[in-house]
Amino acid sequence: MSHVRDSLESLKARIAGLERACAGESGGEPAGRARTGHAGIDAALGGGLMRARLHEIFAFEADDAGCATGFVAALALRLGGTLVWLREGEAEKRGGQLHAPGLVEIGLSPAQVILGTLPDALAVLRAAADVTRCGDVGVAVVELWRDPRAFDLTASRRLALAAEASGVTVIALRIAATPAPSAAQTRWQVAAAPSLPMEANAPGYPAWAIELLRQRGRPAGGAWRVEWNCEQACLAEALLVGGAGTGGAAALSGAVLPLSAGRPARAAALGFRRAG
């Protein structure tokens, strides 16, 4: 009976993955891809970010951890589904806890986010292997600090194969790390960019300078300055600060997703679920 039950669960996971991969067809998205909303980026990706694949996001510098976190949250929202965010303890110690109000500002619902903090990279990868095999998960974020030996080419290959089998999209968020060979479908580098103020000098949209470093099966390269349109929940071309039509406006704070460095992120108050 246990063998039959396991087979049924495996079949359900595969069906859920296929349904997610094809869900974009009715909404105008290419099958198996999630549009970012930015025409140039979507064209470079062949229609959008591939679902059921492993993607790598590198913070340009350690101080860019906050903006890279915001960019990952934005991609997770575009991909849809339940988000499981697994963090190495060192990443939380160095950069602070995830800022729950910032995730809400991006557009993520507390009901769809599960946070897990684990003691080291090996524990994160073991948990990620289990999460990635769960067809009910939409996106799994694997946040690692520096270049742990546990996350080598073999480990990335395991995650990539599990993602393809289950339909779960895996995003490896790399902080203070150096790009190395991996099985990732795409590799990105993200840095903070200034944002334009809104009316009454209110802080502007989150903005990033991003570069596509690598892409399997398609040309790599391409750099964009983008912002997150909170109303439409999509990436858009960012106007240059002080450029035409800006009136020489100076950049305001609030260009990146904030992190709380030494205090709880009020996750419980906002309804985020924490595991581990």
Side-chain angles (χ1 to χ4, degrees):
M1 289 297 293
S2 61
H3 175 71
V4 174
R5 188 181 302 110
D6 291 342
S7 298
L8 287 174
E9 291 301 322
S10 176
L11 180 60
K12 288 179 181 178
R14 287 180 176 273
I15 292 174
L18 290 172
E19 288 176 343
R20 268 199 306 276
C22 297
E25 292 183 344
S26 60
E29 289 186 340
R33 296 180 184 270
R35 293 191 187 279
T36 67
H38 187 285
I41 295 175
D42 288 336
L45 295 174
L49 195 69
M50 287 193 72
R51 302 178 187 272
R53 295 293 188 275
L54 169 65
H55 302 276
E56 282 186 309
I57 310 294
F58 283 81
F60 181 65
E61 295 180 347
D63 289 343
D64 290 310
C67 75
T69 297
F71 184 68
V72 168
L75 292 182
L77 180 62
R78 295 296 298 181
L79 287 161
T82 298
L83 167 61
V84 179
W85 198 304
L86 303 173
R87 311 187 76 202
E88 186 180 353
E90 190 65 21
E92 183 161 300
K93 177 181 177 182
R94 300 273 185 167
Q97 294 181 338
L98 290 178
H99 192 240
L103 295 178
V104 172
E105 183 68 20
I106 289 288
L108 287 168
S109 167
Q112 73 183 96
V113 182
I114 300 174
L115 305 179
T117 303
L118 297 107
D120 53 42
L122 184 58
V124 170
L125 292 172
R126 285 174 174 168
D130 291 334
V131 169
T132 306
R133 286 194 290 265
C134 178
D136 291 330
V137 174
V139 181
V141 174
V142 180
E143 184 178 351
L144 300 172
W145 175 259
R146 293 196 184 279
D147 301 300
R149 293 178 60 184
F151 191 62
D152 55 12
L153 180 59
T154 301
S156 71
R157 182 63 176 163
R158 290 196 189 103
L159 279 179
L161 290 174
E164 292 181 31
S166 66
V168 177
T169 304
V170 181
I171 301 177
L173 174 55
R174 310 297 308 280
I175 308 299
T178 303
S182 75
Q185 177 68 30
T186 63
R187 177 181 296 153
W188 303 80
Q189 183 171 270
V190 182
S195 64
L196 290 175
M198 296 184 179
E199 293 183 9
N201 233 22
Y205 290 133
W208 304 283
I210 63 174
E211 183 177 358
L212 179 59
L213 301 177
R214 181 178 181 275
Q215 181 175 196
R216 284 182 175 270
R218 294 186 61 84
W224 301 269
R225 179 172 291 195
V226 299
E227 65 182 17
W228 180 249
N229 187 315
C230 296
E231 283 72 29
Q232 299 182 17
C234 67
L235 293 179
E237 191 72 21
L239 296 176
L240 295 178
V241 174
T246 68
L252 293 179
S253 61
V256 299
L257 186 74
L259 291 174
S260 59
R263 59 185 183 277
R266 295 196 294 135
L270 287 170
F272 287 105
R273 293 169 285 171
R274 177 173 288 276

